Amino acid sequence: MDERVYIFDTTLRDGEQSPGVSLNVNEKVEIARQLTRLGVDIIEAGFPVASPGDFAAVKVTAAEVKGATVAALARTEKEDIDRAWEAVRDAESPRIHTFIATSDIHLRHKLRLSREEVLEAAVAAVKHACRYLSDVEFSAEDAFRSDHDYLCRVIEAVIEAGATTVNIPDTVGYATPQEFHDFVKGIFQQVPNIDRAVLSVHCHNDLGLAVTNSLAAIQAGARQVECTINGIGERAGNAALEEIVMALYARHSFYGKKTAIRTEEIYRTSKLVSKLTGMKIQPNKAIVGQNAFAHESGIHQDGVLKERLTYEIMNPALIGRSLNTIVLGKHSGRHAFRDTLASLGYELAKEEMNRVFQRFKILTDRKQELTDKDLRAIVEEEILRVPEVYRLAYLHISSGTTVVPTATIGLEKEGRQVEEAACGDGPVDAIYRAIDKITGFPCTLVSYAIDALTAGKDALGEVTAKVRSNSTATVYTGRGVSPDILEASARAYINAINRIIHGDNGGKSPDRPRASL
Ligand code: KIV
Ligand code: ZN
């Protein structure tokens, strides 16, 4: 029987530490739900002591998500552990993940503690967490750069204190694959009670080696890997879940290990995370990039047409890259609509279903046939909607090669319609200036990106606008979808402003710094 490798997903914690990324509670829960569909074993939902927003996200995820262990991160301070327990206690299967750095560089410059003090803090934290629950993970931050004998002493002591998983991160992405393999092997050889815990690894990608190092660790005996969807995370990110899982799957003959991941959910999960974080996927990214299965050269195309295996080591369907099928059109009724959404995995409450159906009907007047991607886009936009202080009522644009771009826009606010007009360097600039005149909000557009959701001239356009509130310097991500890209642009900007008003960024704010890692 193949040995199992446990997949610990930290998209919602380490992934959310990516610069410029902030997810609100609903978005985090939506991602957590998708992670359970994907079949991850453990979801690290956040760092509860860091901010009230983080706490709320972990608490709601723990209560709502079934089928995976929900972990909360905590430093070794009692207050952190108490807060982590408070956040995960309602989970079907809760875990507390406590950590402290063990490298001399961190001890000397960051913690200003001696090795003995760190060892005592680690043991005390694990014992304290064990008073609440039996599933306790300990991480030795910057493990790879720690003194090996000392690290082994810490690992032995925390296992003795009750830790059931011990994680050894390469926090700064410094290791090379052979070194990391030998490092893990060395721990198995030197820690006498290592068989009483699951050994886990957590690799950062500063040298582009996070996935390779994780796989090398699995070969050396690690049985849990910590990773994120699309490899997002601090600096250059974490090990990409989809790459580790597919390497184990496609090269099973080499690794001989299995995971519980439902690979056909990979693509959808990747898309959802990219959309909600606003972090685009590079086209040549392995597994989930737009070009990952595209064959450009004539020789390759010819080979694939004759026999796929000539140039394709995986079938794209295996990771859920469907052929964008037409699912519904103008004449589809409510019944067919509900059934189709259910087949795509959406169970909506009555009120949500009404809203999404209304939106669908408006869209089919403008676009004859809607694909699964189109449907997902409107469902996700509607169910993740923040309370709308401002809502788009109408938009009129005058633009072209010989006219000054001008936008006239009407927004609804508290049942009243407010109108403004503005000129700009281009039509989007004109729209945003007109909106600024209405809201009077001091904010700055930080980035703007547009994607066509499907092929074809009538594709829906999806705009992601990152907008900084000038008063708090916090960046909020707004999204808008429409067959008209100028309307999508307006919707994205209004969505970002509604988020600013709602303070809807998961608690990330330079004014309220998170507890540092
Ligand atoms: O990179 C790291 O060391 C971490 C720990 C908190 C697990 O993220
Ligand atoms: Zn990390």
Side-chain angles (χ1 to χ4, degrees), residues 271-505:
K271 283 283 188 199
L272 181 70
V273 169
S274 168
K275 172 180 170 152
L276 298 188
T277 56
M279 288 184 79
K280 302 286 170 210
I281 301 166
Q282 76 198 57
N284 61 330
K285 160 96 175 59
I287 317 294
V288 292
Q290 200 182 323
N291 297 349
F293 293 88
H295 302 280
E296 181 70 17
S297 92
I299 295 176
H300 287 209
Q301 285 173 352
D302 181 54
V304 169
L305 286 174
K306 286 179 177 141
E307 167 56 59
R308 273 193 116 106
L309 290 177
T310 50
Y311 287 102
E312 226 170 64
I313 60 164
M314 291 168 278
N315 186 334
L318 197 61
I319 59 153
R321 295 183 74 133
S322 66
L323 296 168
N324 191 32
T325 38
I326 292 164
V327 279
L328 292 172
K330 196 174 173 60
H331 302 293
S332 309
R334 190 179 277 268
H335 205 90
F337 183 72
R338 190 179 323 107
D339 287 354
T340 309
L341 289 196
S343 75
L344 293 175
Y346 296 109
E347 298 293 339
L348 302 189
K350 197 168 167 212
E351 204 270 321
E352 281 173 335
M353 180 63 81
N354 288 344
R355 273 199 344 249
V356 178
F357 187 65
Q358 233 181 13
R359 185 83 192 275
F360 162 73
K361 278 293 173 195
I362 295 169
L363 261 182
T364 52
D365 276 343
R366 299 164 78 180
K367 188 176 190 299
Q368 294 293 310
E369 288 160 333
L370 295 189
T371 67
D372 51 354
K373 281 188 186 160
D374 296 328
L375 284 186
R376 286 189 204 286
I378 57 170
V379 171
E380 281 157 14
E381 192 178 86
E382 286 299 327
I383 63 178
L384 296 172
R385 197 175 274 293
V386 286
E388 287 180 303
V389 176
Y390 292 100
R391 184 196 295 260
L392 180 66
Y394 75 87
L395 176 65
H396 177 84
I397 311 286
S398 161
S399 181
T401 49
T402 54
V403 290
V404 176
T406 311
T408 312
I409 193 159
L411 299 188
E412 257 173 43
K413 187 186 180 195
E414 291 154 4
R416 264 183 344 107
Q417 193 160 304
V418 196
E419 295 173 311
E420 270 298 349
C423 299
D425 291 338
V428 175
D429 187 34
I431 293 170
Y432 289 1
R433 283 173 191 265
I435 294 173
D436 286 345
K437 278 191 182 174
I438 295 176
T439 63
F441 238 91
C443 58
T444 311
L445 181 68
V446 179
S447 71
Y448 170 97
I450 183 157
D451 269 333
L453 282 182
T454 52
K457 292 184 198 130
D458 66 345
L460 288 190
E462 182 178 57
V463 171
T464 307
K466 294 202 174 216
V467 178
R468 183 187 301 116
S469 152
N470 291 352
S471 54
T472 64
T474 310
V475 175
Y476 296 76
T477 305
R479 285 179 300 277
V481 177
S482 168
D484 176 335
I485 56 170
L486 294 177
E487 181 187 327
S489 304
R491 284 181 180 278
Y493 195 64
I494 296 165
N495 182 245
I497 288 174
N498 283 328
R499 282 167 192 263
I500 295 179
I501 295 169
H502 198 54
D504 200 14
N505 72 331

Side-chain angles (χ1 to χ4, degrees), residues 10 13-14 17 44 73 97 99 137 139-143 167 169-172 202-204 226 234-235 238 517:
T10 182
R13 199 277 299 170
D14 221 334
Q17 284 172 220
E44 185 162 56
L73 186 69
H97 175 195
F99 75 98
E137 172 168 338
S139 279
E141 192 190 6
D142 206 18
N167 182 40
D170 178 18
T171 302
V172 292
H202 174 117
C203 297
H204 277 270
E226 302 197 354
E234 283 274 11
R235 306 181 310 277
N238 290 59
L517 287 185

Side-chain angles (χ1 to χ4, degrees), residues 93-348:
S93 163
R95 172 179 295 188
I96 292 178
H97 175 195
T98 184
F99 75 98
I100 190 164
T102 50
S103 69
D104 286 338
I105 302 175
H106 279 238
L107 264 57
R108 199 172 306 134
H109 302 289
K110 185 180 85 172
L111 299 175
R112 302 213 167 92
L113 293 173
S114 68
R115 287 186 181 179
E116 288 317 305
E117 284 169 321
V118 164
L119 192 139
E120 273 168 33
V123 168
V126 169
K127 284 190 174 159
H128 187 57
C130 286
R131 286 193 197 109
Y132 291 126
L133 76 180
S134 56
D135 189 346
V136 174
E137 172 168 338
F138 172 79
S139 279
E141 192 190 6
D142 206 18
F144 182 70
R145 293 193 299 169
S146 304
D147 176 81
H148 201 265
D149 291 344
Y150 171 63
L151 176 67
C152 288
R153 269 216 299 137
V154 174
I155 294 175
E156 184 181 349
V158 294
I159 294 175
E160 203 47 52
T164 44
T165 302
V166 176
N167 182 40
I168 45 168
D170 178 18
T171 302
V172 292
Y174 186 67
T176 63
Q178 186 64 52
E179 275 177 311
F180 204 58
H181 173 277
D182 297 347
F183 170 69
V184 172
K185 265 251 140 55
I187 288 168
F188 276 110
Q189 281 159 2
Q190 209 171 318
V191 177
N193 56 0
I194 195 70
D195 57 321
R196 283 166 40 197
V198 170
L199 188 73
S200 167
V201 292
H202 174 117
C203 297
H204 277 270
N205 204 32
D206 299 67
L207 293 173
L209 294 171
V211 169
T212 324
N213 287 343
S214 305
L215 291 168
I218 290 171
Q219 282 182 279
R223 287 296 162 265
Q224 174 178 290
V225 280
E226 302 197 354
C227 42
T228 60
I229 302 296
N230 302 334
I232 65 170
E234 283 274 11
R235 306 181 310 277
N238 290 59
L241 179 149
E242 63 280 4
E243 293 179 25
I244 295 175
V245 166
M246 290 316 290
L248 293 178
Y249 186 95
R251 297 310 319 277
H252 180 260
S253 58
F254 180 76
Y255 291 108
K257 301 284 180 292
K258 64 176 185 196
T259 71
I261 294 295
R262 287 182 276 277
T263 58
E264 62 286 358
E265 290 289 334
I266 285 180
Y267 193 56
R268 178 176 175 188
T269 316
S270 160
K271 283 283 188 199
L272 181 70
V273 169
S274 168
K275 172 180 170 152
L276 298 188
T277 56
M279 288 184 79
K280 302 286 170 210
I281 301 166
Q282 76 198 57
N284 61 330
K285 160 96 175 59
I287 317 294
V288 292
Q290 200 182 323
N291 297 349
F293 293 88
H295 302 280
E296 181 70 17
S297 92
I299 295 176
H300 287 209
Q301 285 173 352
D302 181 54
V304 169
L305 286 174
K306 286 179 177 141
E307 167 56 59
R308 273 193 116 106
L309 290 177
T310 50
Y311 287 102
E312 226 170 64
I313 60 164
M314 291 168 278
N315 186 334
L318 197 61
I319 59 153
R321 295 183 74 133
S322 66
L323 296 168
N324 191 32
T325 38
I326 292 164
V327 279
L328 292 172
K330 196 174 173 60
H331 302 293
S332 309
R334 190 179 277 268
H335 205 90
F337 183 72
R338 190 179 323 107
D339 287 354
T340 309
L341 289 196
S343 75
L344 293 175
Y346 296 109
E347 298 293 339
L348 302 189

Side-chain angles (χ1 to χ4, degrees), residues 8-23:
F8 177 113
D9 180 278
T10 182
T11 305
L12 297 176
R13 199 277 299 170
D14 221 334
E16 213 234 359
Q17 284 172 220
S18 307
V21 170
S22 59
L23 298 164

